[in-house]
Amino acid sequence: MQPLTAVQINEAAAYITGLTPLKPEIGLIMGSGLGVLGDHLEDAVVIPYESIPYFPVSTVEGHAGELLVGSLSGRPVVLMRGRFHMYEGYGPELTAFPVRVMKSLGAKALLVTNAAGGVNTSFEPGDLMVISDHLNLTGKNPLVGPNDDELGVRFPDMSEAYSKRLRAVAREIAVTQGLTLREGVYAGLLGPNYETPAEIRMLRTLGADAVGMSTVAEVLAARHTGLEVLGISCISNMAAGILDQPLSHAEVIETTERVKSQFLALVKAIIPRF
Ligand code: HPA
């Protein structure tokens, strides 16, 4: 496959711009079972990934594979219903490609969500966690290769990968909604298998509170290109070895389904504050 440079990014963005007069200010990436937010967009145009130049199709159950441009809580947004995981075989630059397209469309900020396993034993399935920071344990990075100085600098700073300001906004809104909002470090692994109990103990020692198979590549690309980032995890299950039961994608989907109204209310209230 050819490398995805500014030419491909702008071509994908131009295709999308041709389908809607809206100029999105915020990008949203919805994790497993959380794409329901897309149903709450007003005046949405729904664009299947396969119709967008250079977009691959997402292959995971619970991920629809469409890009929506519409209004949410009065703000123009571009929303990914379904994302590209590296465990599907996509390279990190492909995983990050839609984020760069969002930037090219005019987005200034990114809200990224995911389903994650709880590593912190004080968490419970169904908890929402604002991501304070991440550990990139995928062994991959979308910023590897020649740097496009138009997108960002060669050595981007990651001291505040997840915006302090937006994290404070999320906490403040959670209080007004009577919602317990956790905050913690997300460890991003390649997957696709769930971790072993030994790996989960290791992750806890390393300072992780939650573990998942997405988000880090997208956030690296977002920060590289100057987007302000807020990340929210839905703790869909306790990570391996914590409870005496096997992990399954069915449990992940069931839990996200159960907490989606809380999740929706939180996100809808945060959007105007971006
Ligand atoms: N591990 C990794 N990824 C996940 C998990 C988990 O326990 N739950 C949801 N995504």
Side-chain angles (χ1 to χ4, degrees):
M1 196 183 137
Q2 59 182 313
L4 294 164
T5 62
V7 176
Q8 284 80 30
I9 296 165
N10 294 336
E11 193 179 327
Y15 173 77
I16 296 159
T17 304
L19 299 176
T20 171
L22 281 181
K23 295 266 162 285
E25 295 170 359
I26 308 162
L28 295 93
I29 304 182
M30 295 298 119
S32 297
L34 301 172
V36 63
L37 186 64
D39 299 340
H40 295 250
L41 262 53
E42 282 159 38
D43 307 317
V45 291
V46 180
I47 312 168
Y49 288 161
E50 60 262 30
S51 73
I52 306 172
Y54 311 104
F55 262 56
V57 242
S58 74
T59 62
V60 193
E61 187 196 333
H63 289 258
E66 39 194 39
L67 193 77
L68 285 77
V69 182
S71 295
L72 185 66
S73 309
R75 300 285 295 273
V77 302
V78 51
L79 178 146
M80 284 183 83
R81 191 136 69 174
R83 53 148 63 92
F84 308 124
H85 303 88
M86 294 186 288
Y87 64 70
E88 293 173 86
Y90 304 127
E93 67 293 339
L94 203 46
T95 304
F97 181 67
V99 173
R100 293 175 166 157
V101 173
M102 287 170 167
K103 163 82 176 190
S104 174
L105 289 170
K108 301 275 184 287
L110 178 70
L111 170 64
V112 60
T113 70
N114 57 53
V119 173
N120 184 324
T121 52
S122 72
F123 289 2
E124 284 172 26
D127 281 348
L128 299 181
M129 182 191 91
V130 60
I131 303 177
S132 57
D133 206 346
H134 76 216
L135 296 166
N136 180 9
L137 302 175
T138 63
K140 315 231 175 204
N141 192 314
L143 310 181
V144 167
N147 187 59
D148 182 344
D149 297 335
E150 298 283 310
L151 293 180
V153 296
R154 172 74 290 186
F155 302 111
D157 175 45
M158 290 292 153
S159 3
E160 196 185 322
Y162 299 82
S163 160
K164 269 189 200 147
R165 181 185 78 83
L166 290 173
R167 273 148 56 199
V169 166
R171 282 195 300 271
E172 180 194 319
I173 289 168
V175 170
T176 67
Q177 295 185 340
L179 173 80
T180 308
L181 185 63
R182 312 288 195 162
E183 184 155 0
V185 173
Y186 175 89
L189 274 66
L190 183 60
N193 58 284
Y194 293 116
E195 302 70 32
T196 63
E199 287 165 344
I200 295 303
R201 289 192 297 274
M202 173 189 76
L203 293 175
R204 195 175 298 121
T205 305
L206 293 179
D209 296 289
V211 58
M213 308 172 194
S214 65
T215 303
V216 294
E218 296 150 348
V219 170
L220 291 172
R223 295 302 296 142
H224 175 241
T225 198
L227 301 181
E228 192 178 11
V229 174
L230 178 66
I232 303 175
S233 293
C234 169
I235 305 301
S236 55
N237 57 281
M238 293 314 290
I242 298 180
L243 305 176
D244 190 18
Q245 64 185 49
L247 274 53
S248 73
H249 190 56
E251 182 189 5
V252 171
I253 299 295
E254 258 168 53
T255 309
T256 50
E257 198 47 38
R258 175 161 65 78
V259 299
K260 73 180 180 202
S261 59
Q262 283 176 10
F263 168 81
L264 285 177
L266 178 66
V267 170
K268 281 183 178 177
I270 292 174
I271 291 293
R273 305 279 300 273
F274 262 87

